[in-house]
Amino acid sequence: MTDIKTIKNLRNNHDKSINEISDTLGINWRTAKKYADNAILPEEKIPKKSGMMYDEGWGDIVSLWLEEDYRLTKKKRRTNKNYYKSLKGLGFLGSYRTVCNFVQEWKSTHHNDLPSAGYERLEHPQAEAQLDFGTMEVEHEGSFKDVKALVLSTPYSNAGFAVALPSENQECLLTGMKQLFNQMGCVPRKIRIDNMTTAVVKPKSKFEDPILTDEFQQFAMHYGFEVQVCNPASGHEKGSVENKVGYVRYNFFSETPKMKDFTSLNHDLEEKMIEKRQEKHYEKIQIIESLWQEEKQVCLALPDEDYPVFKEIMIRANKLNEIKLDNTFIHIHNSWRHGNLYAYLTWDKYRIVTQNGELIQEDFRSYLYKKRAIDWHTILKDWKQRLSKITYSRYWKYLPGRIQAYLRIDDFRLLYQRINRLLELLVNHTMVEVNERFYELVTEENEESISDVNWQGYDALTHSPSKEVSV
């Protein structure tokens, strides 16, 4: 301001020309002209955000992801690392820190997260493991469904193993543990669990030991491991597996993976856990895999005989020839006349047998078909506000092939029309049905031709939904 005052003083009080002021002060002629004759008024300084997150549109993509994730529960949201990896796949050249700074700034103006509690660090010997379930979300045949990830962690080496199952019942628990032991190639000497009802009849108290179910005790005796049960409401006593469940959730299930069947899902999950074991231990200066191989030598060998996992219960049909399994009524023709029936349950199937040993019905268990429809109506309404970013949405990959091709266009006016057309159809049809009956339901009425889309390429990839559910 002192220099500006000098310029104005020479101009107004000493009657100097612009050239004279420029020569006297040794400044550019334009600078002298600007401050000599123009009024200098105070202005509001509105900082303009700059950088590749703002100038190149990457921030818009991350903002879309953040808005979508914050409509979900905390467990289903992606981490900063997930955002960074997804951006790298789109050609992002910035750093992980750039993404973190943007996310932190976005959250500071949109959401306030509560601080989490801390727990005391525990020490564990070799061959001691912890076990826990976590609820995860997958996309299967056009709908969302919950699966249960059974996770086992060995605190000494910090090695983790996981398998996805449809339920937390006893059949799934024991089947999942068998799968985990096979992945490990051995059996831990001790396994710590919480007070899950499928394994614990009565929790431990100050003066009494816990009481385990007969089936879980028999399973433990077959494999030779000792069971340690946590105190009630004391999840921190198995903090290692609690953290590992979080790792599985935020690094494998955060973007709701597409599931063909449990076999392929568990194969991908196993590969992810193997990849994790190639990292260094968070505290020990060694690779987790090398620590696990050292710990593995102390574990128990797998038994020679396979352990058959099933549950036998006695049931009776009602007068409508219905039996009740998994809180679902199942009709079985003429089942009422057989009196008492035996149901043999595995993790994925049931068999109904008469007292004479006659098999009268066998099928998949009802919870394998439980699912939730994707709320395409709300998603499409949001996409109408962000037409240029819809292909970056976390939900884009769940669209059936024909619908993706239908919306993959550069003309925003036409794209807006097509989204409206889909919204109209979703009133009476599901997105899967719209895809299957595409040529019948999606007409060219009130919009331009859709003949430019290569439907043959998408139709060639169309196949019948798989009913494979095996582990």
Side-chain angles (χ1 to χ4, degrees), residues 342 344 350-354 356-363:
Y342 292 98
Y344 294 90
Y350 69 86
R351 290 186 300 118
I352 308 300
V353 180
T354 67
N356 297 325
E358 177 189 358
L359 176 64
I360 60 174
Q361 183 150 318
E362 182 178 14
D363 203 349

Side-chain angles (χ1 to χ4, degrees), residues 50-287:
S50 60
M52 62 193 313
M53 297 300 291
Y54 304 96
D55 299 335
E56 300 179 18
W58 298 110
D60 292 338
I61 297 175
V62 178
S63 295
L64 171 64
W65 292 344
L66 286 165
E67 288 180 8
E68 290 178 338
D69 285 3
Y70 267 88
R71 294 174 182 169
L72 308 175
T73 60
K74 176 70 174 176
K75 292 182 178 181
K76 296 179 183 177
R77 298 174 193 167
R78 289 168 282 189
T79 63
N80 291 359
K81 185 179 292 186
N82 296 138
Y83 296 140
Y84 176 66
K85 288 182 178 179
S86 298
L87 288 178
K88 293 290 285 185
L90 297 174
F92 180 67
L93 300 178
S95 66
Y96 173 63
R97 176 51 51 191
T98 299
V99 177
C100 290
N101 290 339
F102 180 85
V103 172
Q104 182 180 10
E105 180 181 351
W106 189 93
K107 288 182 178 180
S108 67
T109 58
H110 292 75
H111 299 276
N112 294 319
D113 293 329
L114 297 175
S116 59
Y119 297 98
E120 181 180 354
R121 187 186 303 275
L122 301 177
E123 298 295 334
H124 299 274
Q126 293 181 333
E128 183 176 293
Q130 299 175 2
L131 188 76
D132 198 13
F133 273 108
T135 301
M136 314 295 175
E137 184 182 70
V138 297
E139 185 272 343
H140 180 60
E141 297 180 356
S143 299
F144 287 147
K145 67 186 303 180
D146 289 333
V147 298
K148 306 296 180 178
L150 183 62
V151 182
L152 185 143
S153 175
T154 57
Y156 174 81
S157 61
N158 198 33
F161 306 85
V163 61
L165 298 156
S167 178
E168 294 186 31
N169 60 29
Q170 190 174 80
E171 305 86 84
C172 288
L173 169 64
L174 300 185
T175 299
M177 293 182 70
K178 284 181 57 178
Q179 295 293 323
L180 293 173
F181 295 158
N182 289 334
Q183 287 184 22
M184 300 168 71
C186 62
V187 180
R189 292 183 176 272
K190 297 180 180 180
I191 300 181
R192 183 180 293 270
I193 62 174
D194 57 20
N195 290 278
M196 56 180 70
T197 57
T198 52
V200 181
V201 176
K202 183 179 179 181
K204 67 188 297 186
S205 65
K206 185 175 182 181
F207 303 105
E208 296 180 349
D209 292 331
I211 300 177
L212 303 177
T213 63
D214 292 340
E215 295 83 0
F216 193 79
Q217 286 189 76
Q218 185 176 358
F219 181 85
M221 286 189 295
H222 177 79
Y223 283 95
F225 63 87
E226 177 186 338
V227 182
Q228 297 178 332
V229 181
C230 296
N231 289 298
S234 300
H236 61 278
E237 294 182 359
K238 52 180 179 64
S240 176
V241 74
E242 295 279 352
N243 290 333
K244 201 67 68 181
V245 169
Y247 173 83
V248 172
R249 174 177 294 115
Y250 295 124
N251 289 271
F252 188 79
F253 289 95
S254 63
E255 296 188 9
T256 311
K258 296 172 70 69
M259 183 184 82
K260 177 184 177 183
D261 51 54
F262 279 95
T263 300
S264 58
L265 179 66
N266 283 327
H267 178 268
D268 294 341
L269 183 54
E270 183 178 2
E271 291 295 319
K272 187 70 177 180
M273 302 308 290
I274 292 175
E275 179 184 334
K276 173 63 178 177
R277 296 201 295 272
Q278 308 310 312
E279 300 178 3
K280 285 187 176 181
H281 191 281
Y282 65 94
E283 190 175 54
K284 305 170 183 177
I285 312 301
Q286 292 187 55
I287 300 298

Side-chain angles (χ1 to χ4, degrees), residues 260 436 458-466:
K260 177 184 177 183
E436 293 174 348
Y458 287 96
D459 292 343
L461 299 176
T462 304
H463 56 83
S464 300
S466 174

Side-chain angles (χ1 to χ4, degrees), residues 382-440:
D382 288 343
W383 284 1
K384 288 170 61 177
Q385 311 303 318
R386 296 173 179 268
L387 295 175
S388 63
K389 307 297 181 185
I390 66 173
T391 57
Y392 302 116
S393 169
R394 69 179 292 152
Y395 302 105
W396 174 260
K397 60 179 175 288
Y398 307 135
L399 281 173
R402 295 190 185 103
I403 307 302
Q404 272 196 12
Y406 182 59
L407 297 181
R408 197 188 294 275
I409 55 176
D410 296 327
D411 186 333
F412 290 159
R413 179 185 60 81
L414 183 55
L415 176 60
Y416 192 87
Q417 292 178 3
R418 292 184 176 183
I419 291 178
N420 280 333
R421 177 60 179 152
L422 289 175
L423 286 171
E424 293 173 0
L425 292 172
L426 289 176
V427 174
N428 299 312
H429 307 279
T430 66
M431 188 65 81
V432 173
E433 185 180 359
V434 172
N435 181 68
E436 293 174 348
R437 301 172 55 192
F438 184 84
Y439 305 107
E440 173 188 351

